[in-house]
Amino acid sequence: MSAGDRAELGTLTMSGLSFYYRTGTVDEVVLAESYQSERFAIPDLTAVARPVIVDVGAHIGAFTAMIARSLPRAAVYALEPARSNFRLLEKNIAANSLVNVATLRVALGDQHASVPLHHAAENWGHSLSTEMADGSTSELVPCQTLGSFLASHSLTTVDFMKMNIEGAEYDVLLSASRADLRRVRHLAVEVHPVHGQHGDDVAHRLAECGFGVAITWSQEE
C-alpha cells in the first residue's frame, strides 16, 4: 500500500466542479483554478461537432473534468497509470456525472508492454523514468505507444491532446510515426529536463510533422 492509498480524503469545489483529494498533498495545488488555466492553452473547438480530447497524465482529473464540462459533446479520454491517482480520477469523474469521459489506466511510452512506473515522493511526479522519480517504490502498469493507443480506440483524429507525463514525453513523441503524430490537430505538452534529452528535440520533431510550435518557458527552478 502506498502513501496515496493511506491519505485522508477531503472534498472541495473548483470552477463549479466537485473533487475528492488527498489532504496535505499536492492535490491541493492541482485543484487551484489558476494552476490549471495557466498551464495548458486550449484551442477553440466549439465549431467541431464532436471533438476528441486526450488527457495523457490525467492525475486525479482536474483538467479532464474542466474540459469535459466545457465541451459536453466531446469524447474525452483520460489516461492515468498510477493506481492511487486513477482511483481518484474515476471517483471525480463519477462525482461530476461526466458521461463523456472514458478513464483508462494506461501509460504512454515507446513500447506496448507492462512497465514499471517509478513512484515519486509527491503523487504528481510518478514516472516511467527512474531519473524523474525520487521515491523508492514502483508499480507495474500497462504501457502503449501513441500509435497503438490510437489504433486500439479507432481514433483517426485527436482534436486536442494534453500531455504531462514526467519525462516520458520524449519516448512517446520521438518514437511515434509521422502519420500518428499528424492525427493530432493540437498538442500541449509539458517537457521535463531529462539527462540526454532536450526539449528542442521534441520541438523539431513536431515541426517536422507540420505543427506550428510555440514554447513557453517555466519560471520554476
Side-chain angles (χ1 to χ4, degrees):
M1 181 180 289
S2 70
D5 296 311
R6 296 189 298 267
E8 181 179 347
L9 293 185
T11 59
L12 58 77
T13 301
M14 178 184 70
S15 301
L17 293 159
S18 299
F19 292 95
Y20 292 92
Y21 71 100
R22 290 157 290 199
T23 60
T25 73
V26 293
D27 291 354
E28 298 177 9
V29 178
V30 169
L31 291 175
E33 188 172 357
S34 58
Y35 179 92
Q36 295 299 327
S37 62
E38 291 170 4
R39 263 179 137 68
F40 298 103
I42 303 171
D44 182 4
L45 299 176
T46 54
V48 182
R50 184 167 166 75
V52 173
I53 312 293
V54 180
D55 185 356
V56 189
H59 193 237
I60 64 172
F63 181 86
T64 297
M66 290 178 69
I67 199 166
R69 187 192 60 177
S70 66
L71 294 169
R73 294 176 300 169
V76 183
Y77 296 83
L79 283 60
E80 173 53 50
R83 181 182 64 249
S84 61
N85 290 344
F86 185 77
R87 287 174 178 169
L88 276 183
L89 168 64
E90 288 191 305
K91 197 173 181 69
N92 287 330
I93 296 308
N96 291 287
S97 302
L98 296 169
V99 296
N100 59 333
V101 178
T103 56
L104 304 167
R105 190 177 170 223
V106 64
L108 290 193
D110 60 1
Q111 58 185 310
H112 194 144
S114 293
V115 299
L117 179 73
H118 305 282
H119 290 174
E122 298 285 5
N123 65 59
W124 61 9
H126 303 334
S127 176
L128 299 185
S129 166
T130 56
E131 181 180 339
M132 292 296 296
D134 53 8
S136 59
T137 60
S138 65
E139 61 184 296
L140 204 61
V141 300
C143 180
Q144 290 184 280
T145 64
L146 176 62
S148 62
F149 167 74
L150 295 174
S152 65
H153 295 280
S154 302
L155 299 179
T156 57
T157 301
V158 173
D159 294 287
F160 179 68
M161 178 178 286
K162 166 245 166 184
M163 183 178 294
N164 186 5
I165 51 177
E166 305 304 315
E169 61 274 6
Y170 298 99
D171 289 342
V172 177
L173 299 174
L174 299 181
S175 69
S177 71
R178 178 184 178 89
D180 286 333
L181 285 171
R182 287 178 67 87
R183 295 193 208 185
V184 181
R185 295 183 59 223
H186 301 278
L187 170 66
V189 55
E190 189 162 302
V191 179
H192 299 79
V194 175
H195 181 71
Q197 304 280 13
H198 199 283
D200 284 346
D201 297 331
V202 171
H204 291 156
R205 176 61 176 157
L206 294 176
E208 288 174 355
C209 294
F211 286 85
V213 177
I215 299 173
T216 301
W217 294 99
S218 172
Q219 298 302 311
E220 298 174 5
E221 293 294 333

